[in-house]
Amino acid sequence: HGYKPYQASAIFARSFGDCKDKAILFNTMAGEAGIKSWPVLIQGEERRGEFDMSVPLTNYFNHCISWVPELDGQFVGMFVDGTAQFSTFGELPSMDYGATTLVATADGGKLVSIPYRGPEANGAVERMSLRLDEHGDAAVQARIEFKGDNAYGARWQYANPGERTEKFEEQYGRQFGGAEVESVSLPPVDDLDS
């Protein structure tokens, strides 16, 4: 099934699929809810060149997502990437931004560009408090808030609860010369609203 997706019923039954399968399943489920959506071919790469799209070639595309058009003037059209398990609704992984896509509608295909987001869409703010005891030992409390690509990356990096302390010790050990992490508290990484 390199180019051809499975039927939506088979994808649903298997609870598994690649990008085109997830796009087909999303589009089918949206259709059942009365929402039109279309499969979209895209080159999912953060560093991609410009292509001469006047020559039809399959190697312009290596990924499949979905397009939900505007709904009755109440909803601005949006792209949805079913493989982006750590992205919030309405956000795409960074590899999708800036791409020229081929939206496959019932009337044929049309080229649509996904604009890049501005720098304000991404970021991380870290706040630290430091407490020194009478021996010169320090206790540091850090709070980091991520947004955009940084939130996606943090959810991915800290998805495994068993590795979180070790990862934070690596990060803060570099900053604070061998620091030991006493505790890590994170919202659930699958809660994409936190």
Side-chain angles (χ1 to χ4, degrees):
H1 273 94
Y3 289 110
K4 181 180 177 183
Y6 287 94
Q7 295 290 320
S9 58
I11 300 164
F12 185 80
R14 291 177 359 157
S15 299
F16 175 80
D18 64 8
C19 60
K20 62 189 170 298
D21 295 324
K22 290 181 179 189
I24 292 301
L25 183 60
F26 175 85
N27 296 337
T28 302
M29 293 175 79
E32 288 295 315
I35 300 169
K36 286 186 179 180
S37 63
W38 307 105
V40 176
L41 298 176
I42 178 174
Q43 185 173 74
E45 301 286 337
E46 291 189 17
R47 294 181 177 100
R48 73 178 75 73
E50 295 290 323
F51 298 114
D52 176 5
M53 296 288 204
S54 66
V55 178
L57 297 172
T58 57
N59 66 342
Y60 296 148
F61 310 109
N62 64 0
H63 190 44
C64 187
I65 62 176
S66 296
W67 167 250
V68 180
E70 183 177 320
L71 297 174
D72 302 325
Q74 299 177 15
F75 176 80
V76 177
M78 68 184 303
F79 290 95
V80 178
D81 189 330
T83 66
Q85 72 185 67
F86 297 116
S87 290
T88 60
F89 186 71
E91 286 191 331
L92 297 169
S94 59
M95 70 177 190
D96 292 352
Y97 289 103
T100 299
T101 70
L102 177 63
V103 179
T105 69
D107 301 325
K110 65 178 180 176
L111 296 175
V112 177
S113 292
I114 301 176
Y116 284 106
R117 294 185 298 174
E120 68 282 351
N122 302 304
V125 175
E126 183 174 22
R127 292 178 179 87
M128 290 186 184
S129 61
L130 178 77
R131 191 177 67 249
L132 287 174
D133 68 14
E134 65 274 4
H135 305 291
D137 293 326
V140 177
Q141 183 174 18
R143 177 178 175 86
I144 310 170
E145 296 176 18
F146 300 99
K147 66 178 182 176
D149 290 343
N150 297 82
Y152 179 92
R155 287 187 194 102
W156 176 81
Q157 182 174 6
Y158 303 120
N160 184 342
E163 297 177 350
R164 291 176 184 165
T165 299
E166 180 183 336
K167 288 183 177 189
F168 277 104
E169 280 187 344
E170 287 174 15
Q171 177 181 341
Y172 289 106
R174 287 190 300 267
Q175 282 182 276
F176 298 108
E180 294 178 14
V181 174
E182 292 180 4
S183 67
V184 175
S185 174
L186 297 173
V189 296
D190 57 353
D191 177 4
L192 300 180
D193 295 323
S194 62

Short mmCIF file of all heavy atoms in Angstrom, two decimals, residues 152-186:
data_model
loop_
_atom_site.label_atom_id
_atom_site.label_comp_id
_atom_site.label_asym_id
_atom_site.label_seq_id
_atom_site.Cartn_x
_atom_site.Cartn_y
_atom_site.Cartn_z
N TYR A 152 5.27 21.10 20.99
CA TYR A 152 5.28 19.81 20.29
C TYR A 152 6.54 19.04 20.69
O TYR A 152 6.47 17.85 21.03
CB TYR A 152 5.23 20.06 18.79
CG TYR A 152 5.25 18.80 17.95
CD1 TYR A 152 4.07 18.19 17.56
CD2 TYR A 152 6.45 18.23 17.55
CE1 TYR A 152 4.08 17.03 16.80
CE2 TYR A 152 6.47 17.07 16.79
CZ TYR A 152 5.28 16.48 16.41
OH TYR A 152 5.30 15.34 15.67
N GLY A 153 7.68 19.70 20.62
CA GLY A 153 8.95 19.04 20.95
C GLY A 153 9.01 18.59 22.40
O GLY A 153 9.52 17.50 22.70
N ALA A 154 8.49 19.41 23.31
CA ALA A 154 8.50 19.02 24.73
C ALA A 154 7.59 17.83 24.98
O ALA A 154 7.95 16.91 25.74
CB ALA A 154 8.07 20.21 25.59
N ARG A 155 6.41 17.82 24.36
CA ARG A 155 5.52 16.66 24.53
C ARG A 155 6.18 15.39 24.00
O ARG A 155 6.06 14.33 24.61
CB ARG A 155 4.20 16.90 23.80
CG ARG A 155 3.31 17.89 24.48
CD ARG A 155 1.94 17.96 23.79
NE ARG A 155 1.23 19.12 24.23
CZ ARG A 155 1.11 20.25 23.53
NH1 ARG A 155 1.63 20.33 22.33
NH2 ARG A 155 0.46 21.27 24.02
N TRP A 156 6.87 15.50 22.89
CA TRP A 156 7.55 14.34 22.32
C TRP A 156 8.70 13.90 23.22
O TRP A 156 8.87 12.72 23.52
CB TRP A 156 8.07 14.68 20.92
CG TRP A 156 8.85 13.59 20.30
CD1 TRP A 156 8.37 12.48 19.67
CD2 TRP A 156 10.28 13.47 20.28
NE1 TRP A 156 9.40 11.68 19.24
CE2 TRP A 156 10.59 12.27 19.61
CE3 TRP A 156 11.32 14.26 20.75
CZ2 TRP A 156 11.90 11.85 19.42
CZ3 TRP A 156 12.62 13.84 20.57
CH2 TRP A 156 12.90 12.65 19.90
N GLN A 157 9.52 14.87 23.65
CA GLN A 157 10.71 14.55 24.44
C GLN A 157 10.36 13.93 25.79
O GLN A 157 11.06 13.04 26.27
CB GLN A 157 11.55 15.81 24.66
CG GLN A 157 12.83 15.55 25.42
CD GLN A 157 13.72 16.78 25.49
OE1 GLN A 157 13.35 17.87 25.08
NE2 GLN A 157 14.91 16.60 26.03
N TYR A 158 9.28 14.39 26.41
CA TYR A 158 8.93 13.93 27.75
C TYR A 158 7.75 12.96 27.75
O TYR A 158 7.09 12.77 28.77
CB TYR A 158 8.65 15.12 28.67
CG TYR A 158 9.83 16.07 28.73
CD1 TYR A 158 9.70 17.39 28.34
CD2 TYR A 158 11.08 15.63 29.15
CE1 TYR A 158 10.78 18.26 28.36
CE2 TYR A 158 12.16 16.49 29.18
CZ TYR A 158 12.01 17.80 28.79
OH TYR A 158 13.07 18.65 28.83
N ALA A 159 7.48 12.32 26.61
CA ALA A 159 6.34 11.40 26.50
C ALA A 159 6.49 10.19 27.41
O ALA A 159 5.50 9.68 27.94
CB ALA A 159 6.16 10.96 25.05
N ASN A 160 7.71 9.73 27.63
CA ASN A 160 7.95 8.55 28.46
C ASN A 160 8.21 8.98 29.90
O ASN A 160 9.28 9.52 30.20
CB ASN A 160 9.13 7.76 27.92
CG ASN A 160 9.37 6.47 28.67
OD1 ASN A 160 8.91 6.29 29.79
ND2 ASN A 160 10.12 5.57 28.06
N PRO A 161 7.26 8.75 30.81
CA PRO A 161 7.44 9.20 32.19
C PRO A 161 8.70 8.64 32.86
O PRO A 161 9.31 9.31 33.69
CB PRO A 161 6.19 8.68 32.91
CG PRO A 161 5.17 8.49 31.84
CD PRO A 161 5.95 8.11 30.61
N GLY A 162 9.12 7.43 32.48
CA GLY A 162 10.29 6.82 33.08
C GLY A 162 11.61 7.49 32.72
O GLY A 162 12.62 7.26 33.39
N GLU A 163 11.62 8.33 31.70
CA GLU A 163 12.86 9.00 31.26
C GLU A 163 12.91 10.47 31.63
O GLU A 163 13.91 11.14 31.38
CB GLU A 163 12.99 8.88 29.74
CG GLU A 163 13.14 7.46 29.25
CD GLU A 163 13.19 7.38 27.73
OE1 GLU A 163 12.93 8.39 27.06
OE2 GLU A 163 13.47 6.29 27.21
N ARG A 164 11.86 11.02 32.21
CA ARG A 164 11.78 12.47 32.44
C ARG A 164 12.85 12.97 33.39
O ARG A 164 13.52 13.96 33.10
CB ARG A 164 10.38 12.84 32.94
CG ARG A 164 9.33 12.66 31.89
CD ARG A 164 7.95 12.95 32.42
NE ARG A 164 6.97 12.67 31.39
CZ ARG A 164 5.69 12.56 31.61
NH1 ARG A 164 5.21 12.70 32.84
NH2 ARG A 164 4.85 12.32 30.62
N THR A 165 12.99 12.32 34.53
CA THR A 165 13.98 12.79 35.51
C THR A 165 15.37 12.79 34.90
O THR A 165 16.13 13.76 35.04
CB THR A 165 13.93 11.93 36.78
OG1 THR A 165 12.62 12.04 37.36
CG2 THR A 165 14.97 12.37 37.80
N GLU A 166 15.72 11.72 34.21
CA GLU A 166 17.03 11.62 33.57
C GLU A 166 17.24 12.75 32.55
O GLU A 166 18.30 13.37 32.50
CB GLU A 166 17.17 10.27 32.89
CG GLU A 166 18.50 10.06 32.20
CD GLU A 166 18.55 8.71 31.48
OE1 GLU A 166 17.81 7.79 31.85
OE2 GLU A 166 19.37 8.61 30.54
N LYS A 167 16.22 13.04 31.76
CA LYS A 167 16.35 14.09 30.75
C LYS A 167 16.51 15.46 31.39
O LYS A 167 17.30 16.29 30.93
CB LYS A 167 15.18 14.06 29.79
CG LYS A 167 15.24 12.86 28.86
CD LYS A 167 14.12 12.85 27.85
CE LYS A 167 14.30 11.65 26.93
NZ LYS A 167 13.40 11.66 25.80
N PHE A 168 15.76 15.71 32.46
CA PHE A 168 15.91 16.99 33.15
C PHE A 168 17.26 17.08 33.85
O PHE A 168 17.86 18.16 33.91
CB PHE A 168 14.76 17.22 34.14
CG PHE A 168 13.53 17.78 33.49
CD1 PHE A 168 12.44 16.98 33.23
CD2 PHE A 168 13.47 19.12 33.12
CE1 PHE A 168 11.30 17.49 32.63
CE2 PHE A 168 12.35 19.64 32.52
CZ PHE A 168 11.25 18.83 32.27
N GLU A 169 17.77 15.97 34.38
CA GLU A 169 19.10 15.99 35.01
C GLU A 169 20.18 16.29 33.98
O GLU A 169 21.13 17.01 34.27
CB GLU A 169 19.39 14.67 35.73
CG GLU A 169 18.72 14.62 37.08
CD GLU A 169 19.12 13.40 37.90
OE1 GLU A 169 19.67 12.42 37.35
OE2 GLU A 169 18.83 13.44 39.11
N GLU A 170 20.04 15.74 32.77
CA GLU A 170 21.00 16.07 31.71
C GLU A 170 20.95 17.56 31.40
O GLU A 170 21.99 18.22 31.30
CB GLU A 170 20.68 15.28 30.44
CG GLU A 170 21.01 13.82 30.52
CD GLU A 170 20.54 13.05 29.29
OE1 GLU A 170 20.20 13.69 28.27
OE2 GLU A 170 20.50 11.81 29.35
N GLN A 171 19.76 18.10 31.24
CA GLN A 171 19.61 19.52 30.89
C GLN A 171 20.12 20.43 31.99
O GLN A 171 20.93 21.33 31.74
CB GLN A 171 18.14 19.82 30.61
CG GLN A 171 17.87 21.28 30.29
CD GLN A 171 16.40 21.57 30.04
OE1 GLN A 171 15.62 20.67 29.76
NE2 GLN A 171 16.03 22.82 30.16
N TYR A 172 19.67 20.21 33.22
CA TYR A 172 20.07 21.11 34.30
C TYR A 172 21.45 20.79 34.84
O TYR A 172 22.10 21.66 35.41
CB TYR A 172 19.00 21.11 35.40
CG TYR A 172 17.76 21.84 34.92
CD1 TYR A 172 16.62 21.15 34.57
CD2 TYR A 172 17.79 23.22 34.77
CE1 TYR A 172 15.49 21.82 34.09
CE2 TYR A 172 16.67 23.90 34.29
CZ TYR A 172 15.53 23.19 33.96
OH TYR A 172 14.45 23.86 33.48
N GLY A 173 21.92 19.56 34.63
CA GLY A 173 23.29 19.24 35.02
C GLY A 173 24.30 20.03 34.20
O GLY A 173 25.35 20.43 34.70
N ARG A 174 23.97 20.29 32.93
CA ARG A 174 24.85 21.13 32.10
C ARG A 174 24.82 22.57 32.57
O ARG A 174 25.83 23.27 32.54
CB ARG A 174 24.42 21.05 30.64
CG ARG A 174 24.76 19.74 29.96
CD ARG A 174 24.52 19.78 28.46
NE ARG A 174 23.15 20.07 28.10
CZ ARG A 174 22.21 19.16 27.86
NH1 ARG A 174 22.50 17.88 27.94
NH2 ARG A 174 20.99 19.52 27.53
N GLN A 175 23.65 23.03 33.00
CA GLN A 175 23.53 24.43 33.44
C GLN A 175 24.10 24.64 34.83
O GLN A 175 24.66 25.70 35.12
CB GLN A 175 22.05 24.86 33.45
CG GLN A 175 21.49 25.17 32.10
CD GLN A 175 20.04 25.63 32.22
OE1 GLN A 175 19.15 24.81 32.29
NE2 GLN A 175 19.84 26.92 32.25
N PHE A 176 23.91 23.66 35.72
CA PHE A 176 24.25 23.85 37.12
C PHE A 176 25.24 22.81 37.62
O PHE A 176 25.15 22.34 38.76
CB PHE A 176 22.97 23.81 37.98
CG PHE A 176 22.01 24.91 37.66
CD1 PHE A 176 20.82 24.62 37.00
CD2 PHE A 176 22.29 26.23 37.99
CE1 PHE A 176 19.92 25.62 36.69
CE2 PHE A 176 21.40 27.23 37.69
CZ PHE A 176 20.21 26.94 37.04
N GLY A 177 26.19 22.41 36.79
CA GLY A 177 27.30 21.54 37.20
C GLY A 177 26.93 20.34 38.05
O GLY A 177 27.23 20.32 39.23
N GLY A 178 26.28 19.37 37.46
CA GLY A 178 25.98 18.13 38.17
C GLY A 178 24.75 18.19 39.05
O GLY A 178 24.66 17.43 40.02
N ALA A 179 23.82 19.04 38.74
CA ALA A 179 22.59 19.14 39.54
C ALA A 179 21.84 17.82 39.55
O ALA A 179 21.88 17.05 38.59
CB ALA A 179 21.70 20.24 38.96
N GLU A 180 21.18 17.56 40.67
CA GLU A 180 20.33 16.39 40.80
C GLU A 180 18.88 16.85 40.81
O GLU A 180 18.54 17.81 41.50
CB GLU A 180 20.64 15.62 42.08
CG GLU A 180 22.02 15.01 42.09
CD GLU A 180 22.33 14.30 43.40
OE1 GLU A 180 21.38 14.05 44.18
OE2 GLU A 180 23.50 14.01 43.63
N VAL A 181 18.03 16.18 40.07
CA VAL A 181 16.62 16.52 40.02
C VAL A 181 15.90 15.74 41.10
O VAL A 181 15.97 14.52 41.16
CB VAL A 181 16.02 16.23 38.63
CG1 VAL A 181 14.53 16.44 38.61
CG2 VAL A 181 16.70 17.10 37.57
N GLU A 182 15.20 16.46 41.99
CA GLU A 182 14.45 15.81 43.06
C GLU A 182 13.07 15.37 42.60
O GLU A 182 12.59 14.32 43.01
CB GLU A 182 14.32 16.75 44.27
CG GLU A 182 15.64 17.01 44.95
CD GLU A 182 15.50 17.95 46.13
OE1 GLU A 182 14.36 18.34 46.47
OE2 GLU A 182 16.54 18.30 46.71
N SER A 183 12.42 16.18 41.78
CA SER A 183 11.09 15.81 41.31
C SER A 183 10.78 16.52 40.00
O SER A 183 11.33 17.58 39.71
CB SER A 183 10.02 16.15 42.36
OG SER A 183 9.90 17.55 42.50
N VAL A 184 9.91 15.90 39.23
CA VAL A 184 9.45 16.46 37.96
C VAL A 184 7.93 16.39 37.96
O VAL A 184 7.36 15.34 38.24
CB VAL A 184 10.00 15.68 36.74
CG1 VAL A 184 9.42 16.20 35.45
CG2 VAL A 184 11.52 15.73 36.71
N SER A 185 7.30 17.50 37.70
CA SER A 185 5.84 17.54 37.62
C SER A 185 5.46 18.13 36.27
O SER A 185 5.81 19.27 35.97
CB SER A 185 5.29 18.40 38.77
OG SER A 185 3.90 18.56 38.62
N LEU A 186 4.76 17.33 35.47
CA LEU A 186 4.32 17.77 34.15
C LEU A 186 2.85 17.48 33.98
O LEU A 186 2.35 16.48 34.49
CB LEU A 186 5.09 17.02 33.06
CG LEU A 186 6.58 17.20 32.96
CD1 LEU A 186 7.15 16.23 31.92
CD2 LEU A 186 6.91 18.61 32.54
#
